[in-house]
Amino acid sequence: MSTRHLDHYFWMNSDWAYLGADRLEALAARHGLSIRHRPVDLPDVYARTGGVLLGRRAPERQAYRITELKRWCRKLGLHVNPLPAHMCPNADLASRVVIAADRAGQPVARLYRAILHAEWCDDQDISDERTLLDVCESLGLDGRELLAAAQAPDIEALYRRYTDEAVAAGVFGSPSYVFEGELFWGQDRLEMLEEAVARRTARM
């Protein structure tokens, strides 16, 4: 595996992380990069960096978010429901399940994308254990084993460490990508991220 990598800090409720998921994987494949997927506690990140959770934002900001989502969905040929039935529930368990899967060498990119799809496309509650079990099983993963592993103190410690690392790297929103110390916030910055990767590759 390549020793070159980029860090992907994201919230397990992030519609924007969902929209960027496939393009991020394609970018990494084109340049021989590995991705270190790092689910974070975004409400904690916001509390430490001045962010405001969606439900507390001004109506104008909430309305513009929906407009932008529709534009990006058209551009990318993807679908998300801007106001799903279970919007942004507690994401701690889902985050720890993804971290546990990563520790076990499971396909993390497929898993986190499927969980996000469950929320933003299928109106599922990703804070519910049954939803997470169903998502895991749909991918051929042992959901009960992953849910049990997600309760372990070391997995919780990693979740907190990733959140601390994100703040230390300058992260304040999801998704955020860090490549060789340079931060790129938002799936709409993937093109700029790729340009940075290409520049550094050319100098090697």
Side-chain angles (χ1 to χ4, degrees), residues 138-199:
S138 74
L139 299 175
L141 304 176
D142 188 332
R144 295 192 182 281
E145 182 177 291
L146 288 175
L147 280 167
Q151 307 299 333
D154 63 326
I155 297 299
E156 172 66 19
L158 272 177
Y159 182 36
R160 294 301 150 195
R161 193 183 91 191
Y162 293 163
T163 301
D164 290 342
E165 288 177 355
V167 173
V171 169
F172 55 88
S174 172
S176 290
Y177 318 105
V178 179
F179 176 67
E180 295 188 357
E182 186 173 358
L183 171 66
F184 298 82
W185 171 48
Q187 59 85 36
D188 54 340
R189 296 297 183 269
L190 281 168
E191 183 177 349
M192 293 181 179
L193 169 61
E194 183 155 23
E195 289 169 354
V197 172
R199 285 196 302 272

Side-chain angles (χ1 to χ4, degrees), residues 16-128:
W16 300 108
Y18 175 74
L19 291 182
D22 290 343
R23 286 149 56 227
L24 176 62
E25 295 298 318
L27 183 161
R30 283 193 294 272
H31 296 277
L33 296 173
S34 61
I35 303 172
R36 302 196 304 192
H37 295 289
R38 303 296 198 236
V40 302
D41 181 351
L42 194 68
D44 185 25
V45 171
Y46 276 3
R48 296 157 67 180
T49 61
V52 179
L53 290 169
L54 180 60
R56 299 177 184 173
R57 294 175 193 167
E60 294 82 1
R61 290 178 179 269
Q62 296 192 42
Y64 190 74
R65 166 190 163 268
I66 292 173
T67 298
E68 277 286 270
L69 274 175
K70 290 178 178 178
R71 288 171 178 161
W72 275 101
C73 284
R74 283 195 299 269
K75 180 178 178 65
L76 300 174
L78 297 172
H79 167 74
V80 299
N81 177 359
L83 299 170
H86 304 278
M87 184 170 171
C88 298
N90 187 295
D92 292 345
L93 180 57
S95 299
R96 295 197 307 268
V97 165
V98 170
I99 293 168
D102 190 31
R103 287 286 296 273
Q106 300 295 338
V108 175
R110 289 176 60 218
L111 178 57
Y112 89 77
R113 187 186 185 284
I115 294 173
L116 290 172
H117 187 278
E119 177 176 350
W120 294 103
C121 303
D122 296 335
D123 285 333
Q124 300 298 305
D125 180 0
I126 67 161
S127 68
D128 184 77

